[in-house]
Each structure stands twice: as structure tokens, then as C-alpha cells.
Amino acid sequence: MENLRFQVIAEAFKKKPLEVEAPVERPSEYFGKKVFNRAKMYKYLPADVYQQLVDVIDNGATLDRSIANAVAKGMKQWADENGVTHYTHWFQPLTEGTAEKHDSFIEHDGKGGMIEEFSGKLLVQQEPDASSFPSGGIRNTFEARGYSAWDPTSPVFIIDDTLCIPTIFISYTGEALDYKAPLLRALHAVNVAATDVCHYFYPDVKKVTTNLGWEQEYFLVDADLYSARPDLMLTGRTLLGHDSAKNQQMDDHYFGTIPERVQAFMKDLEIQALELGIPCKTRHNEVAPNQFELAPIFEECNLAIDHNMLLMSLMKKVARKHGFRVLLHEKPFAGINGSGKHNNWSLSTDTGVLLHGPGKTKEDDLRFVTFVVETLMGVYRHNGLLKASIMSATNAHRLGANEAPPAIVSSFLGKQLNDILDKIESSDKDELFKIEGKKGMAIDIPEIPDLLVDSTDRNRTSPFAFTGNRFEFRAVGSEANSAAAMIVLNTAVAEALTEFKSRVDALIAKGQDKMSAIIDILREDIKACKPIRFEGNGYSDEWVEEAKKRGLDCETSCPVIFDQYLKDESVRMFESQAVLTKNELTARNEVKWGTYTKKIQIEARVFGDLCMNHIIPIATHYQSQLAKDVQSMYSIFSADKADKLTERNKKIIEEIAERTQIIETGVEALVEARKVANKIEDERERAVAYHDTVEPKLDEIRYHCDKLELVVSDELWTLPKYRELLFIR
């Protein structure tokens, strides 16, 4: 009987690109087609209701529930015209995914029939079962009530026949059970703090907006090959598998020609994403084989995160249509690059970008330096917490693996900006400084025009690098909800700006000139946050030692890193900015520890099954074949000649025996370690036990499984190998 693996490979080779019919219009004409955006609000809402809703969105005005019926009526009319039959409150619980419960528009008409209806009450709030989502103990099974509440700042959209309403999700007692509620609070906090500081330079500024541009990396795998790998199906990554002889070492995949099947998938994905208002801009091959990237134009942070969560869901749906499975795990394959989600973060006002330099005046340049330094202050004070915000059981495989930033938070600024900060720090007076813009670089080819060179280089080993008018937080994981990182970053910056203004105002109250007071406080902060600035190689062993000397957080245990959320300075920061209470933080950590344990637990169970039901039977079957060959040799040849002819087979037989014994013993130890850890009642201690005693055994056993893959006959090996998973498109 032919190995099923070969049948699957043959079918994968036969697959052709799926024909994708592009809309007749240009992308700009169908962008937002399935979104209840401002143009549709203007069309379907009464003028006064439209103005009130815009005031809520633009200026943070309180939403008057009295307009909800009119808004719901307009939404319903638009939805009817688009064939919509259901609606749902779309929210982001602490599962790292999204949640939705679809209800139809139908209601009893009181005459034995039905009518379609959608009221303001149904738009504004609903009541999901709060006890069935992770809550960290805030909600018990017998305390099921929770509320989802409409977020008008993120527009309603249509998926298939359903009207999706972005919402927050809170408990009956008011605690946040999602990512959006604390994110909105953090964005409000940084808006208030940054606007106050802006008034030192621009009194007319009304609002500061946080912008986010994410870059989503992902892998594509043929759907049939994916289905033949239980580990990919159940954990999102390959728990075993030897390196392919060729992987990414030739650097030929990065920015290479996009394969036809992938191009068809990308085209289909972009069309659907653009219709949903996701401003897709960039697509390309990434470094590893079968790895790709999609990046949009930056947006307001809350909307950008909603769009990223929506896109990840859409990617999975479109990939199935094209015979692929999309892998968002940070490290689905050993030995090649994993996937991240770089978060490009910036602040802007109604008058410009706060992190943009150079300015036209000294005040402009001082404004730029102020916001850069106070951002660094927030990152320095809470570098361990910022690391905790991006840490997970999956992202831990990627960070510090010489492909992604290390698990130590530092910031790269570039020579020019570093020199300016050093000059301010060392100066005893308010010396003038000038920030240079881009300079021309002449290329010694007549046909090529001069290039404009940025004032800073880029450092791929820096987790938090300044890249001209924004900071790029490179350490966020590819399958993560970026809100976790943005909640911490924006709250930390809000705290730093709040304290900065308080100290500057104190000097001004004593009679000091405003600009002089700003520079004096900046000088203090530049000195204080200097340990976070690092321009070198973040992958080096020397940096780890240097980071420890600087007092930066160098912890590597994922469950222990989560402790950062409950440190006094973290609780104080969140509570002072009205983002999260200690009770909410405690509950969220319970969820984080529980999630970590469950992910490692699932991996250990799947891995044990693969070892005992795939690897060992296949290896011993091949061993039996070799043993029969050896026996037959002795029946044909003399003992001396048979000894020589069977020498290689005997070595393989012995190697298989030794490795299968190690694997079997290892799996038994793995099961026992799980049993011991499972008896621990405390969530944190159980997670630590899984990290310390269960997870290391996976790699120890995997080594021998991967060695057997090289030894056992290819025709017997049932699991698709890396060379097949990564190179069939």
C-alpha cells in the first residue's frame, strides 16, 4: 500500500492557482464597501444624529443613548440593502481571538407572524455569558452575567450575512473582560497627558491620537499536508521534524517572486480586506520559505487593532478557499525564522506628528525631543512590564532566536538622535541644538538620481527602535492581539508625560522660564533613562551581561515574566491612569498563567501521541525489515562475509533500538511530569512547573525523533517532512 504521505504530496503538486475575479472598480472605489463609515452614516442617519455621532468619534463626547434608535434604524436600512439577516456584537475576550453570537433581526409581530427589527437597545448592549470566557476568577459559573457595549469609534461592518458591531466586554460588576476596554482607557490617558504637554508648544492642540501600523507575518502550508500533521492541526506548530537540507540559507525567498498560488490568495485576501476598510498596502515574501507579510497604512490605534484581529480571521477563511492553511504561530518550524507582528507606534495631533523631526523652529525641535525622551522614560521604567505584554508560550520560541529581538527591552535611536540627547545631558546651559533632515547620497551612476538618506540606520535586533517619526515595537508576536502591548505602552507613556508636566509646572511656579524648565527636566530624564538606549548587537552574549548591569529585566521564564503585571510600580501606573485596577490585573494574570499551562499541556499530549503512535511504530517496523535483511544475508553468505555486508544495517538497528528506548522513557517521564504539575492548585506555580519540568522534555525527546527521521526509510515515514511542508505551493 502506498504511503499516504506520498499521495498527499502528489495532490499538492497538482494544485493550480484559484481564479480570483477582481472587482471592476479600482481599490479606492470599493474600499470600505462593507463598512458603515462616515459616508454611509451621512447618507443613512438624520443630520443631527450624524453630527452627534461624529462628535463622539472625533472629540470623545459622551454617547447619548437617545440617538441609538436612529443610528440602529440607519444601520438596519443599509444592512437590508446588502442582504444582511443577522447581527452580532463582535468583541475581543482574553482568548487572543474574537467572539461573536449571531442573532437574526426577526421578532414576533404580535399577529402570529414575524417582522425584521433592530432597535437602539440591541445596538448599544447585549449580554454574553461572562462565566464561559476567561475571567481569572472575576466570574464564576453561577455568576454568568456580563455585558458587551457598542464602541462607536470603530465602525460597524458586514461579514457574509451578518452585521458586526465592535464592542467592549465587561463583567456584571464592571471589570474589563477583554482587550478593547482597557485599550480605550489607555488611549484616553495618553491623549489627556500628551495634549497637556503639547500646550507648552502649541496652545491650539485639541487632541492627541495614537497611531499604529502593524506588519503581519505568516506562513502558508498546503491544506492536505497540514491535515497529515496532527501537531500542526492541534498546536499550530511542528513539534518534531528535521531541518530541510535547503531552507532559508540562500536568502532567495526574501522579496522573491511571489508564487502563483500565493499571489492568488493574496489578491483575494486584499480585495475582501479592502472592502472591510482594512487599508492593505504591502505584500511580499519574508525570509523563511513559505513565509509572507502583509502590512497596511497606519491608522488610529483602536481601529488598527480591530482591523488586525479581523484580518487574521479573514486570512484563515481565504486560505482554506485556496487550498492553504495559514500559520500564525510565532515559531511553526524549527531552524528557520519565526513570525512577528511589528507594531509601528506614533503620536499625532490635529496639527502634525509629535515624533516627527526636524522642525522649523527651536520649539519644534524641543517638542520632538520631549516626546521622544518621555516615551523612553515610560519604556525604561516599565521595560519588564512591556516585555510581559508580548510574552507568551508561543512567542517565547521566537524571541532571542537570532531572528527576532531579544527578550530584553532596549531602544535604538541612531547616532544623530543619540548625539543630541548626549549634548543636552552634558550641557550646563540651554544650548541650541539642530535636528538635521534627510541628506542626499550621490550614487556613482549617472542615470541614478541622488538618494535621500535617513538620519538613522535600522537595527533589527532592537525591540523598540526609533525609525524616523515613530517607534517600531518589533517584539510583538504574530498571533497576538496587539492591544496587550499597546495598553502597556500607551499607559507607560501617559504616566511619563503626566509626571513630566507636573515637574515642569513646579519649576515654572517658582519663576523659571518655560523653555528653560522643560530643558532642565529633560536633562534629568535623559540621564535617568539612559540604560534603555542601546545601539549595538542585541543578539550578543555581551549585551545580556551589560543589560543586567544596567538593571534591565533579563528574566527568560515566561510565567515568571508575567509577575511584572502585579509589581507595585505596575499597579500604581495602571491605577493612576485609570486603565486597570489591581483586581483586574490579578485576574488577567490568572488567565495568562492558565493559558500558558494549557498550551504546553496540549503540546505535551500531542507530542506523546506522535511519539508512541507514529515515530516508534514506524522506526521499529523499519528495524524489523533490516533485521530480516541481516538474517537473510547469513543464510546466503559465509559468516565472515555476512558480518561485513550487514555492518551498516546492524548499526542502524542498534541506533533505532537506542533512540526508541530513549523516546519511550522520555515520554513516560513527560507524562509523569505533567501529572505532578497538574496537582499544583496555584495557577502561577503550576505554570512555572510546566515551564521548568514539562516543556524542556519536549526538546530533549524531539532530538531523537528528528534523528530517526534521517535514519528510517523515506517510504515508511508517514508525517510530511519540512522539505515538503515548506516548498510545495
Side-chain angles (χ1 to χ4, degrees):
M1 180 179 176
E2 185 183 6
N3 189 331
L4 179 61
R5 167 170 147 253
F6 295 136
Q7 296 177 32
V8 171
I9 294 168
E11 289 300 316
F13 268 119
K14 293 177 186 177
K15 290 179 181 175
K16 302 294 182 183
L18 191 67
E19 290 290 334
V20 178
E21 186 176 345
V24 177
E25 312 101 314
R26 291 179 297 177
S28 59
E29 294 174 317
Y30 62 81
F31 177 76
K33 176 182 177 181
K34 296 184 177 180
V35 181
F36 195 69
N37 53 24
R38 293 196 185 210
K40 297 184 182 74
M41 287 163 51
Y42 185 80
K43 178 180 178 180
Y44 290 94
L45 301 182
D48 60 328
V49 172
Y50 171 79
Q51 291 297 337
Q52 290 183 63
L53 192 54
V54 167
D55 191 31
V56 171
I57 296 169
D58 288 347
N59 304 315
T62 301
L63 177 66
D64 187 344
R65 289 180 67 112
S66 65
I67 70 170
N69 280 330
V71 175
K73 182 179 179 181
M75 285 182 180
K76 174 68 165 48
Q77 182 182 347
W78 172 67
D80 286 342
E81 293 172 7
N82 285 274
V84 171
T85 58
H86 289 68
Y87 65 94
T88 182
H89 275 201
W90 183 82
F91 57 98
Q92 300 166 31
L94 303 179
T95 59
E96 299 298 328
T98 58
E100 53 197 64
K101 175 176 68 74
H102 297 200
D103 287 308
S104 70
F105 287 128
I106 62 170
E107 299 287 348
H108 285 294
D109 65 357
K111 302 173 184 177
M114 289 287 181
I115 59 172
E116 284 83 22
E117 187 175 84
F118 184 55
S119 66
K121 178 182 177 182
L122 297 176
L123 167 65
V124 170
Q125 73 178 64
Q126 284 195 338
E127 191 179 314
D129 185 347
S131 68
S132 298
F133 289 100
S135 70
I138 286 179
R139 297 273 83 189
N140 295 307
T141 303
F142 63 89
E143 298 172 318
R145 198 181 298 278
Y147 299 110
S148 55
W150 174 38
D151 171 18
T153 64
S154 185
V156 168
F157 55 92
I158 293 173
I159 296 287
D160 296 327
D161 64 352
T162 303
L163 186 71
C164 300
I165 304 161
T167 62
I168 65 168
F169 180 42
I170 62 172
S171 73
Y172 176 70
T173 45
E175 294 93 348
L177 297 176
D178 69 342
Y179 285 104
K180 182 183 276 282
L183 174 68
L184 291 174
R185 295 171 189 161
L187 296 177
H188 175 72
V190 80
N191 170 32
V192 171
T195 300
D196 285 346
V197 173
C198 272
H199 289 162
Y200 287 139
F201 310 99
Y202 317 115
D204 295 334
V205 167
K206 297 182 178 65
K207 180 181 180 181
V208 172
T209 302
T210 301
N211 301 315
L212 175 63
W214 41 263
E215 302 166 25
Q216 180 70 59
E217 294 176 341
Y218 61 95
F219 282 85
L220 287 176
V221 173
D222 185 85
D224 293 332
L225 292 168
Y226 170 90
S227 298
R229 290 286 308 224
D231 49 354
L232 272 180
M233 291 179 65
L234 297 176
T235 73
R237 75 178 181 110
T238 53
L239 299 175
L240 51 84
H242 199 280
D243 291 354
S244 171
K246 178 185 183 297
N247 48 49
Q248 66 185 45
Q249 67 265 49
M250 298 300 295
D251 299 320
D252 55 346
H253 190 257
Y254 191 51
F255 280 21
T257 302
I258 300 172
E260 284 187 85
R261 275 183 68 196
V262 176
Q263 181 92 346
F265 158 78
M266 289 179 168
K267 179 180 178 181
D268 199 356
L269 175 64
E270 286 182 5
I271 290 170
Q272 295 190 46
L274 288 166
E275 288 181 342
L276 287 165
I278 305 172
C280 300
K281 177 72 173 177
T282 302
R283 65 189 186 199
H284 64 82
N285 289 5
E286 256 300 333
V287 174
N290 271 26
Q291 187 186 31
F292 308 94
E293 180 178 296
L294 182 152
I297 302 170
F298 75 90
E299 302 178 277
E300 185 277 323
C301 185
N302 177 42
L303 181 58
I305 288 172
D306 279 3
H307 278 167
N308 182 244
M309 298 303 292
L310 177 57
L311 181 91
M312 289 193 290
S313 177
L314 188 63
M315 288 172 80
K316 295 173 184 177
K317 176 182 174 182
V318 176
R320 287 177 178 270
K321 176 180 171 183
H322 289 261
F324 288 119
R325 290 294 185 273
V326 65
L327 304 181
L328 294 172
H329 193 289
E330 283 79 7
K331 192 73 171 179
F333 302 100
I336 60 174
N337 279 16
S339 298
K341 178 154 45 205
H342 306 161
N343 278 213
N344 295 280
W345 173 90
S346 65
L347 297 173
S348 63
T349 71
D350 42 331
T351 59
V353 180
L354 293 178
L355 296 174
H356 186 273
K360 296 180 180 179
T361 65
K362 176 186 175 183
E363 285 75 15
D364 281 343
D365 286 344
L366 187 58
R367 171 267 309 159
F368 166 71
V369 170
T370 296
F371 279 92
V372 167
V373 170
E374 294 314 309
T375 298
L376 292 176
M377 277 297 290
V379 173
Y380 169 60
R381 284 176 178 165
H382 301 287
N383 67 92
L385 178 61
L386 204 58
K387 178 168 70 177
S389 74
I390 52 88
M391 186 55 67
S392 67
T394 54
N395 204 23
H397 292 288
R398 165 180 165 263
L399 295 178
N402 288 339
E403 65 190 61
I408 302 172
V409 174
S410 65
S411 184
F412 169 86
L413 300 180
K415 185 177 186 305
Q416 183 190 20
L417 190 49
N418 261 307
D419 288 347
I420 289 172
L421 297 190
D422 288 343
K423 183 177 180 180
I424 296 173
E425 177 190 355
S426 60
S427 175
D428 292 330
K429 54 184 178 179
D430 303 341
E431 293 185 11
L432 292 174
F433 58 88
K434 183 61 183 171
I435 300 170
E436 302 294 337
K438 293 185 178 182
K439 298 180 180 179
M441 175 190 287
I443 304 296
D444 193 19
I445 303 173
E447 295 83 0
I448 304 298
D450 289 356
L451 299 180
L452 291 177
V453 180
D454 290 282
S455 59
T456 67
D457 200 347
R458 297 184 69 187
N459 187 331
R460 297 187 73 251
T461 72
S462 176
F464 196 76
F466 185 71
T467 57
N469 59 4
R470 63 191 182 277
F471 282 95
E472 183 180 19
F473 193 14
R474 297 179 56 85
V476 181
S478 57
E479 72 174 359
N481 187 328
S482 294
M486 291 298 102
I487 290 167
V488 172
L489 176 59
N490 284 292
T491 308
V493 172
E495 179 193 56
L497 289 168
T498 300
E499 294 186 8
F500 170 81
K501 185 175 187 302
S502 175
R503 290 150 62 210
V504 170
D505 286 350
L507 293 182
I508 294 173
K510 294 178 181 178
Q512 191 167 344
D513 171 73
K514 179 177 70 175
M515 291 303 169
S516 175
I518 290 172
I519 291 175
D520 279 353
I521 299 302
L522 280 178
R523 188 174 291 121
E524 293 176 6
D525 288 351
I526 290 169
K527 291 177 182 178
C529 71
K530 198 167 187 177
I532 205 69
R533 290 157 49 193
F534 178 64
E535 303 294 298
N537 179 11
Y539 294 156
S540 67
D541 294 334
E542 292 79 9
W543 166 233
V544 177
E545 295 305 313
E546 173 64 21
K548 290 178 182 176
K549 293 177 183 176
R550 295 186 182 193
L552 301 181
D553 189 278
C554 298
E555 180 59 60
T556 58
S557 168
C558 183
V560 175
I561 289 170
F562 292 150
D563 290 345
Q564 289 287 338
Y565 275 97
L566 298 179
K567 289 194 170 182
D568 290 343
E569 56 268 30
S570 299
V571 175
R572 186 163 53 248
M573 177 195 78
F574 282 119
E575 292 192 332
S576 70
Q577 299 302 315
V579 173
L580 287 164
T581 65
K582 185 173 183 179
N583 187 38
E584 288 173 314
L585 290 167
T586 301
R588 282 163 187 264
N589 260 30
E590 291 289 306
V591 173
K592 288 178 181 292
W593 286 317
T595 300
Y596 179 88
T597 296
K598 290 168 188 173
K599 287 196 173 185
I600 304 302
Q601 185 182 69
I602 291 169
E603 288 190 354
R605 294 176 66 181
V606 172
F607 186 62
D609 173 62
L610 285 174
C611 288
M612 303 307 293
N613 295 308
H614 287 258
I615 306 304
I616 291 180
I618 293 166
T620 52
H621 180 58
Y622 183 55
Q623 185 185 44
S624 297
Q625 288 185 351
L626 293 179
K628 289 178 182 178
D629 289 343
V630 169
Q631 289 174 345
S632 64
M633 287 292 187
Y634 279 98
S635 67
I636 298 172
F637 300 104
S638 66
D640 289 344
K641 184 149 187 169
D643 283 344
K644 292 180 181 179
L645 293 174
T646 59
E647 185 176 348
R648 177 180 177 276
N649 282 1
K650 287 177 180 176
K651 286 183 179 179
I652 296 175
I653 290 170
E654 184 177 4
E655 180 179 353
I656 291 175
E658 291 174 351
R659 293 197 188 281
T660 53
Q661 180 60 47
I662 292 172
I663 292 169
E664 189 168 358
T665 303
V667 170
E668 290 174 358
L670 181 65
V671 172
E672 186 58 32
R674 276 176 36 222
K675 289 180 178 178
V676 172
N678 289 340
K679 292 178 181 178
I680 301 173
E681 293 187 6
D682 182 79
E683 285 281 14
R684 180 190 182 278
E685 296 310 311
R686 189 188 311 131
V688 170
Y690 262 87
H691 176 274
D692 294 348
T693 66
V694 176
E695 188 177 20
K697 288 181 171 55
L698 296 176
D699 288 336
E700 294 169 8
I701 303 168
R702 175 179 181 155
Y703 173 81
H704 297 282
C705 293
D706 292 352
K707 288 296 183 182
L708 285 178
E709 182 183 318
L710 297 180
V711 171
V712 173
S713 171
D714 188 57
E715 68 178 0
L716 295 178
W717 201 262
T718 58
L719 298 173
K721 299 182 178 182
Y722 274 21
R723 66 171 185 251
E724 296 146 8
L725 290 166
L726 291 168
F727 292 97
I728 292 178
R729 296 164 185 151

